[in-house]
Amino acid sequence: MAALLAGCSSPVAVPPPSPSPTGEAAAACAALGPRLPWLLEGQKRRPTEPDSDLAWAWADPPLVLRCGVPVPSALEPTSELLSIEGVDWLAEELSAGYRFSTVGRVATVEVTVPDAYSPEVNPLVDLAPAITATVPLQTP
């Protein structure tokens, strides 16, 4: 199936998280990949370049998800969060869209949504079941 999808579209340049996640975060990211939807916003998954089990993309312009990224520097104790389907997200406006990062989980999941998709939070609804099933909340 992956080879079939790879033939349908060109790879999306997505740098894997650096440093790579370790321990519990790495295990959560490994479990996340197989649970991610093949379609997001009605668009097929696309291959990423370099090929990584920490990065996924869909559509054109690409919706991009990376797992195991560092906690965003914009996150503060007073940051306003979005709660969507049991997942808390920090939203950061970019020049051409938004970057959403999970908060309070063993691995930080980052989703970049170009402004071609409106409302920008829609993909988060479809991604939430996979995240809640595989990326547990941090224990204090």
Side-chain angles (χ1 to χ4, degrees), residues 33-124:
R35 298 289 296 261
L36 290 171
W38 283 104
L39 294 176
L40 190 59
E41 288 295 284
Q43 301 295 314
K44 292 180 182 176
R45 195 182 295 181
R46 295 178 60 184
T48 58
E49 179 64 40
D51 186 28
S52 170
D53 58 359
L54 299 172
W56 298 268
W58 297 258
D60 188 14
L63 298 154
V64 174
L65 181 148
R66 298 187 318 145
C67 187
V69 299
V71 172
S73 60
L75 182 63
E76 308 230 349
T78 58
S79 293
E80 187 174 327
L81 303 178
L82 302 169
S83 187
I84 299 174
E85 302 292 323
V87 179
D88 290 336
W89 299 91
L90 173 69
E92 297 176 85
E93 190 168 6
L94 305 173
S95 61
Y98 280 86
R99 177 175 43 239
F100 299 95
S101 302
T102 60
V103 175
R105 298 204 168 255
V106 298
T108 301
V109 177
E110 172 189 277
V111 178
T112 306
V113 181
D115 57 11
Y117 304 94
S118 182
E120 289 87 352
V121 297
N122 279 357
L124 306 181

